[in-house]
Amino acid sequence: MRPSDSRASVGELFSELAEDLSTLLRQEVELAKAELRESASRAGKGAGLLAGVGISGHMVLLFASVAAWWGIGDATGRGWAALIVAAIWLIVAAVLGLIGAPRD
């Protein structure tokens, strides 16, 4: 630094200003990169967890369907029970499809 009694020229002041702005911009870019990495990491973990939830939910529905098929099969026979469970899932799919279909 310069002694307090000397005055800086306009050129020196602009030079210092440009250097400070350059440093500030570099720091801001590094901060944005760090925030983006953190955000991407959280998004990746969230996506993985949601995939696990989807697979787990699918397995629950699969085994609940097998249990329903087996339980109904005691009264009606396994073939008819399979058709009944399939019909129930067809109705569920149709209702969800109608609810989720885009409306014009």
Side-chain angles (χ1 to χ4, degrees):
M1 283 309 228
R2 59 190 171 278
S4 62
D5 60 338
S6 71
R7 294 184 156 234
S9 70
V10 172
E12 290 173 332
L13 290 175
F14 277 121
S15 174
E16 286 180 21
L17 177 64
E19 185 179 323
D20 289 345
L21 282 175
S22 175
T23 301
L24 178 63
L25 286 175
R26 269 186 268 131
Q27 290 173 343
E28 286 295 324
V29 167
E30 287 303 316
L31 178 61
K33 286 180 184 178
E35 288 174 348
L36 185 60
R37 278 190 296 270
E38 182 181 336
S39 178
S41 174
R42 275 187 278 143
K45 289 176 186 174
L49 290 172
L50 286 176
V53 166
I55 291 170
S56 298
H58 174 75
M59 295 304 289
V60 166
L61 290 176
L62 176 68
F63 285 107
S65 296
V66 169
W69 167 65
W70 196 264
I72 296 169
D74 286 341
T76 63
R78 302 282 183 244
W80 286 109
L83 288 174
I84 292 169
V85 172
I88 292 169
W89 279 116
L90 178 64
I91 293 168
V92 169
V95 169
L96 291 176
L98 289 172
I99 291 172
R103 300 191 199 298
D104 290 332

